[in-house]
């Protein structure tokens, strides 16, 4: 097992081959192509211009300090502010705070005007943020298994939560002193400007950390924080990442939970966006603890990646992984296709014909042409005058791909942030939806083969009515209302802290809200966002869906994210009741202020209920956080697990349409509809399908319509709570034994 110092190593530091050897993983199982990709990535890191990546904070700080301050007083003040900001973003919070106080004193003593508009205001806000972050760090250093009582909103895991009795704070003196200082700072800001909503929000957070909310805040500054986590009911989940050995410290990144080595236990692959951040592999076991086997899995030197999407692209029965890199950058960056052979990975990007240099963080797999082999769409980011066309790679059926986007009518040249495939018109062919930042989203209908032997898509966005939100990010197809027609969700990505305060107070705000589109079954969609209770601020990057309570209705979790350290918004969870969505952030314990990214819904411990893995962390090099593994306490309905094995269809049955018909104890009959997928566009659920059945007393039948081939299997004789393998064309369900964990 890896030594603790190695397992908890901060990912903002490069991990050398010698360091990995000292961590107890002898030998080098990497293929020559993997080593070549590792060398390519290392070279790119050395040559990248820090000015083109706003999150290369240490490099930017180095360049600034080497340049030195200009002689002009105004310019020198601005220079000092830039240096201080990079120190803060790099995680040098204590020295950054010292510099901020010096700048505050200089501005007060000299009466010097702001070198640029908003300088003083930003300095004030960053000063308060630094105080809160230092207090959080001090509280976490002194925390020993602090667990908030049920019903409290878990904002910062190491602080007391909301609501809390006055004086109930279980934090050390260092954290208390820092929080007291932060409270005084925010109060002074509000005295100067009572309309400062960010200061008001921060003051309420600080009071919660001190255990003095609500009585410790003047009524005119108090926010209704008790409503922040929603009023929905859900059994409280517990973050067991540290106990399980998967609390890897990271920046924003992707996550996949899957049984990569085929031993019956789920494993975890997690990435982090930093250009030097090692992709990490954790192998599951019967004990419930994970062992890091990054080097042993052949991954050493494969770094970066803001997102991961997985699929069995070569139909060999092992789940492979595609790593998406370069998101937010202007310059191109190579992605990686990692071929899996029983828990050992090889980078086959070049061999597969997938090497290209574009900025991206989103892609999705589907067999769009129905030939039994999965194809890949990559949404690239065109911005700042740089054009990067998105890519459609058609599988050649031999492990290689051909790029055909232009020929298929998908030569998109926009700032694509989310990609999802789904057969929205039930014609047997997967269609494509693209979420685009600061432009209308786009829906492409899969028309099928052309007379010349190609394949064609046509844009139907306007006719379908699914162009919004204009500033959007993660997206997915799902059948949220179980009517057999795939619906659409697209999360908004434009908000400020002040907007969240306005939402809490019931005031109008300017944040971009998500859109939930209900499929009307005639090629059009209806916007039911408000009707279904999802007209809430979801400043979402990492997001996904799954059934948290096994009632047969898909729920969702959004992880909030913004590089700006001042943007502190809790991650949010919403439960689907069948009559609308209710927020269960507080009840479920998901409301961390650590920024949320790759999210996976999975019953990792095989105990019959859905747990949640989250990759946490921001974009700036100092905005790291430990990843979370939220364990479900149970108590919901029953479920069924289906493992699909295609024959004419792709091996894992990705894209299959599943209908499970059940009978309740009172004799009523109900059907649950699913599209076999790995979930949303920013987080990857396992390939096996975990389908909640609510209060079902019996399963009448399971129907699987296989993608591409159109084969229909109608299966009977399965039981609630069971796990089954369904092979295409067999008409049978073979019982599977789920190996117990813990």
């Amino acid at each position: 097992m890896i030594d603790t110092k190695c397992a908890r190593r901060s990912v903002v530091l490069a991990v050398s081959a010698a360091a990995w050897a000292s961590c107890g993983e002898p030998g080098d199982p990497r293929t020559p192509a993997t080593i070549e990709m590792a060398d390519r990535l290392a070279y790119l890191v050395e040559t990248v211009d820090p000015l083109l990546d706003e999150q290369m904070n240490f490099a930017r700080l180095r360049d600034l300090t080497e340049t030195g301050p200009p002689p002009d007083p105004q310019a020198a003040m601005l220079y000092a502010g830039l240096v201080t900001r990079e120190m803060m973003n790099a995680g040098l919070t204590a020295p950054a705070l010292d510099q901020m106080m010096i700048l505050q004193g200089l501005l007060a003593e000299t009466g010097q005007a702001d070198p640029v508009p908003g300088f003083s205001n930003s300095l004030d806000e960053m000063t308060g943020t630094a105080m809160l972050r230092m207090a959080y760090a001090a509280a976490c250093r002194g925390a020993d298994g602090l667990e908030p009582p049920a019903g409290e909103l878990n904002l910062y895991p190491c602080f007391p939560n909301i609501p809390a009795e006055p004086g109930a704070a279980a934090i050390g003196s260092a954290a208390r002193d820092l929080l007291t200082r932060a409270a005084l700072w925010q109060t002074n800001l509000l005295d100067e400007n009572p309309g400062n909503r960010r200061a008001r929000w921060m003051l309420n957070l600080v009071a919660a950390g001190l255990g003095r909310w609500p009585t410790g805040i003047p009524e005119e500054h108090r926010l209704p924080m008790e409503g922040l986590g929603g009023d929905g009911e859900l059994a409280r989940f517990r973050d067991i990442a540290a106990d399980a050995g998967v609390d890897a410290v990271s920046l924003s990144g992707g996550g996949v939970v899957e049984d990569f080595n085929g031993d019956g236990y789920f494993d975890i692959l997690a990435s982090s966006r930093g250009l030097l951040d090692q992709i990490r592999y954790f192998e599951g076991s019967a004990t419930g603890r994970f062992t890091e086997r990054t080097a042993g899995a052949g991954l050493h030197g494969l770094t970066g990646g803001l997102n991961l999407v997985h699929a069995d692209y070569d139909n060999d029965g092992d789940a492979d992984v595609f790593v998406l890199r370069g998101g937010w950058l202007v310059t191109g960056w190579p992605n990686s296709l990692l071929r899996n052979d029983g828990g050992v990975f090889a980078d086959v990007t070049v061999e597969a014909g997938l090497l290209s240099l574009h900025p991206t963080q989103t892609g999705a797999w589907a067999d769009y042409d129905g030939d039994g082999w999965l194809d890949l769409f990559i949404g690239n980011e065109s911005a700042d005058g740089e054009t990067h066309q998105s890519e459609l790679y058609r599988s050649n059926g031999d492990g290689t791909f051909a790029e055909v986007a232009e020929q298929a009518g998908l030569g998109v040249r926009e700032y694509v942030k989310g990609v999802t495939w789904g057969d929205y018109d039930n014609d047997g062919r997967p269609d494509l939806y693209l979420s685009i930042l600061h432009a209308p989203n786009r829906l492409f209908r899969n028309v099928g083969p052309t007379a010349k032997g190609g394949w064609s898509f046509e844009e139907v966005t306007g006719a379908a009515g699914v162009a919004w939100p204009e500033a959007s990010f993660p997206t997915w197809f799902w059948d949220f209302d179980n009517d057999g027609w795939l619906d659409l969700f697209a999360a908004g990505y434009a908000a400020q802290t002040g907007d969240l305060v306005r939402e809490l107070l019931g005031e109008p705000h300017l944040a971009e809200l998500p859109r939930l589109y209900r499929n009307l079954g005639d090629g059009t969609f209806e916007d039911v966002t408000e009707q279904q209770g999802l007209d809430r601020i979801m400043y979402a990057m990492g997001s996904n869906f799954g059934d948290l309570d096994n009632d047969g209705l898909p729920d969702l979790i959004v992880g909030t994210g913004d590089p700006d350290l001042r943007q502190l918004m809790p991650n949010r969870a919403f439960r689907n009741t069948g009559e609308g969505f209710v927020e269960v952030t507080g009840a479920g314990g998901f409301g961390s202020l650590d920024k949320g990214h790759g999210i996976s819904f999975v019953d990792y411990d095989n105990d019959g209920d859905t747990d949640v893995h989250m990759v946490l962390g921001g974009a700036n090099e100092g905005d790291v956080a430990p990843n979370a593994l939220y364990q479900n306490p149970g108590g919901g309905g029953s479920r069924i697990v289906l493992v699909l094995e295609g024959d004419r269809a792709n091996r894992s049955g990705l894209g299959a349409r599943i209908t499970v018909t059940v009978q309740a104890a009172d004799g009523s009959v109900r059907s649950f509809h699913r599209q076999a997928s790995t979930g949303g566009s920013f987080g990857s659920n396992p390939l096996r399908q975990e389908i909640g059945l609510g209060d079902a007393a019996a399963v009448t039948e399971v129907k699987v319509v296989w993608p591409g081939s159109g084969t229909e299997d109608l299966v009977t004789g399965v039981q609630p709570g069971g796990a089954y393998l369904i092979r295409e064309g067999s008409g049978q369900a073979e019982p599977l034994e789920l190996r117990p964990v813990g």
Side-chain angles (χ1 to χ4, degrees), residues 308-360:
L308 306 173
V309 292
H310 78 299
D312 183 4
Y313 83 93
D314 52 2
N315 285 340
D316 68 349
D318 290 324
D320 313 295
V321 179
F322 192 67
V323 183
L324 295 134
R325 297 190 179 97
W328 302 111
L329 298 179
V330 176
T331 56
W333 214 260
N335 301 314
S336 280
L337 177 61
L338 306 181
R339 186 183 65 212
N340 177 23
D341 183 15
V344 178
F345 298 86
D347 192 305
V348 295
T349 313
V350 175
E351 172 189 330
L354 293 175
L355 181 65
S356 63
L357 296 175
H358 302 286
T360 181

Side-chain angles (χ1 to χ4, degrees), residues 57 61 82-97 100 125-131 133 565-566 620-623:
N57 308 113
L61 181 60
L82 292 173
V83 170
T84 303
R85 183 186 66 183
E86 294 301 342
M87 291 172 66
M88 180 76 171
N89 288 341
L92 306 174
T93 313
L97 180 57
M100 291 178 203
E125 292 180 346
M126 289 299 291
T127 302
T129 302
M131 292 175 180
R133 291 178 68 86
L565 297 183
R566 298 170 297 172
N620 288 299
E621 289 177 332
D623 202 4

Side-chain angles (χ1 to χ4, degrees), residues 175-186:
R176 181 178 292 279
D177 290 346
L178 286 163
L179 283 172
T180 301
R181 185 183 179 192
L184 179 61
W185 184 263
Q186 301 298 342

Side-chain angles (χ1 to χ4, degrees), residues 288-306:
R289 283 194 57 82
F290 293 77
T291 300
E292 183 166 2
R293 288 195 57 254
T294 300
L299 294 168
H300 169 62
L302 299 182
T303 55
L306 192 52

Side-chain angles (χ1 to χ4, degrees), residues 166-201:
I171 56 175
S173 59
R176 181 178 292 279
D177 290 346
L178 286 163
L179 283 172
T180 301
R181 185 183 179 192
L184 179 61
W185 184 263
Q186 301 298 342
T187 300
N188 288 338
L189 293 182
L190 285 166
D191 287 343
E192 295 174 5
N193 179 13
N196 187 332
R197 291 179 176 83
R198 197 189 298 272
R200 188 175 177 183
W201 168 247

Side-chain angles (χ1 to χ4, degrees), residues 10-266:
S10 172
V11 295
V12 300
L13 301 177
V15 182
S16 67
W20 278 110
S22 72
C23 289
E25 297 202 46
D28 190 346
R30 296 181 299 172
T31 65
T34 301
I35 295 172
E36 181 182 349
M37 178 59 79
D39 290 344
R40 182 192 302 270
L41 293 170
Y43 171 76
L44 286 172
V45 171
E46 292 298 322
T47 59
V48 70
D49 183 353
L51 293 178
L52 298 180
D53 183 351
E54 293 184 0
Q55 281 75 54
M56 293 187 67
N57 308 113
F58 278 102
R60 291 163 68 91
L61 181 60
R62 180 198 62 217
D63 288 354
L64 280 169
T65 53
E66 288 178 353
T67 302
D72 177 73
Q74 288 282 91
M77 179 68 73
L78 178 59
Y79 166 85
L82 292 173
V83 170
T84 303
R85 183 186 66 183
E86 294 301 342
M87 291 172 66
M88 180 76 171
N89 288 341
L92 306 174
T93 313
L97 180 57
D98 290 341
Q99 291 300 310
M100 291 178 203
M101 299 312 295
I102 291 173
L103 287 173
Q104 295 281 357
L106 286 173
L107 286 172
E109 292 172 9
T110 64
Q112 184 174 326
D114 282 2
V116 293
F119 181 90
S120 295
N121 182 63
S122 294
L123 180 61
D124 288 342
E125 292 180 346
M126 289 299 291
T127 302
T129 302
M131 292 175 180
L132 182 59
R133 291 178 68 86
M134 287 183 63
Y136 175 39
C140 288
R141 285 194 298 270
D144 184 18
L146 288 177
E147 185 65 30
E152 293 192 355
L153 182 62
N154 191 19
L155 287 169
Y156 263 134
C158 302
F159 285 168
N161 293 274
I162 299 172
E165 293 298 323
I171 56 175
S173 59
R176 181 178 292 279
D177 290 346
L178 286 163
L179 283 172
T180 301
R181 185 183 179 192
L184 179 61
W185 184 263
Q186 301 298 342
T187 300
N188 288 338
L189 293 182
L190 285 166
D191 287 343
E192 295 174 5
N193 179 13
N196 187 332
R197 291 179 176 83
R198 197 189 298 272
R200 188 175 177 183
W201 168 247
M202 295 287 282
L203 178 60
N204 280 262
L205 290 182
V206 169
L210 286 166
R212 297 174 185 167
W213 187 94
T215 55
I217 303 179
E219 187 173 352
E220 64 271 20
H221 299 323
R222 193 179 304 160
L223 292 172
M225 302 289 277
E226 71 277 7
L228 186 62
D231 56 5
E233 296 181 358
L234 184 72
R236 190 177 189 85
F237 287 56
R238 185 169 67 95
D239 182 5
I240 61 166
D243 293 339
V246 291
D247 57 332
V249 176
S250 77
L251 299 173
S252 53
V256 179
V257 184
E258 185 60 82
D259 182 8
F260 287 111
N261 61 4
D263 66 354
Y265 303 111
F266 280 111

Side-chain angles (χ1 to χ4, degrees), residues 270-538:
S271 67
S272 177
R273 80 166 299 275
L275 303 183
L276 292 172
D277 296 358
Q278 173 67 51
I279 294 172
R280 303 175 72 175
Y281 174 64
F282 299 89
E283 194 169 83
S285 70
T287 66
R289 283 194 57 82
F290 293 77
T291 300
E292 183 166 2
R293 288 195 57 254
T294 300
L299 294 168
H300 169 62
L302 299 182
T303 55
L306 192 52
N307 199 3
L308 306 173
V309 292
H310 78 299
D312 183 4
Y313 83 93
D314 52 2
N315 285 340
D316 68 349
D318 290 324
D320 313 295
V321 179
F322 192 67
V323 183
L324 295 134
R325 297 190 179 97
W328 302 111
L329 298 179
V330 176
T331 56
W333 214 260
N335 301 314
S336 280
L337 177 61
L338 306 181
R339 186 183 65 212
N340 177 23
D341 183 15
V344 178
F345 298 86
D347 192 305
V348 295
T349 313
V350 175
E351 172 189 330
L354 293 175
L355 181 65
S356 63
L357 296 175
H358 302 286
T360 181
Q361 57 186 286
T362 185
W365 297 92
D367 181 8
Y368 77 83
D369 56 0
D371 64 355
W373 295 86
L374 291 173
D375 313 299
L376 175 66
F377 185 89
I378 303 171
N380 292 322
E381 300 177 356
S382 294
D384 298 333
E386 296 289 332
T387 298
H388 295 275
Q389 179 176 296
S390 293
E391 300 160 284
L392 176 64
Y393 287 98
R394 179 184 179 273
S395 174
N396 295 321
D398 59 2
T400 68
F401 296 82
E403 206 289 305
V404 296
E406 196 74 47
Q407 300 93 303
L410 294 175
V412 176
R413 298 171 179 84
E414 296 189 77
Y415 205 166
V416 181
K417 303 305 293 184
V419 173
T420 183
W421 292 96
D423 181 9
Y424 81 92
D425 53 1
N426 286 348
D427 67 353
R429 293 188 292 262
D431 311 295
L432 182 67
Y433 186 72
L434 305 181
S435 171
I436 298 169
L437 192 63
H438 305 313
N441 299 333
R442 304 178 72 175
L443 174 63
F444 293 90
R445 179 174 172 268
N446 189 337
V447 178
T450 65
K452 296 183 179 180
W455 208 268
S456 178
F457 290 80
E458 65 173 353
E459 184 167 1
V460 294
T461 310
V466 291
W468 313 113
E470 187 169 279
S472 63
F473 214 130
T475 184
W476 57 73
F477 281 105
W478 61 344
D479 189 354
F480 82 90
D481 55 359
N482 269 322
D483 66 352
W485 294 88
L486 291 178
D487 312 298
L488 260 174
F489 176 82
Y493 196 71
Q496 294 291 322
T497 306
D499 294 316
L500 186 62
V501 171
R502 290 182 177 93
E503 181 180 87
L504 272 173
L505 296 172
E507 298 174 354
H509 59 77
L510 299 177
E512 186 75 83
L513 296 179
R515 297 294 191 279
L516 176 63
Y517 293 109
R518 179 176 176 269
N519 193 331
L520 299 179
D522 60 1
T524 68
F525 293 78
E526 175 189 10
D527 185 343
V528 294
T529 313
E530 183 176 357
Q531 173 190 323
Q532 290 291 320
L534 288 179
D535 54 334
R536 299 291 182 269
I537 295 174
M538 299 181 198

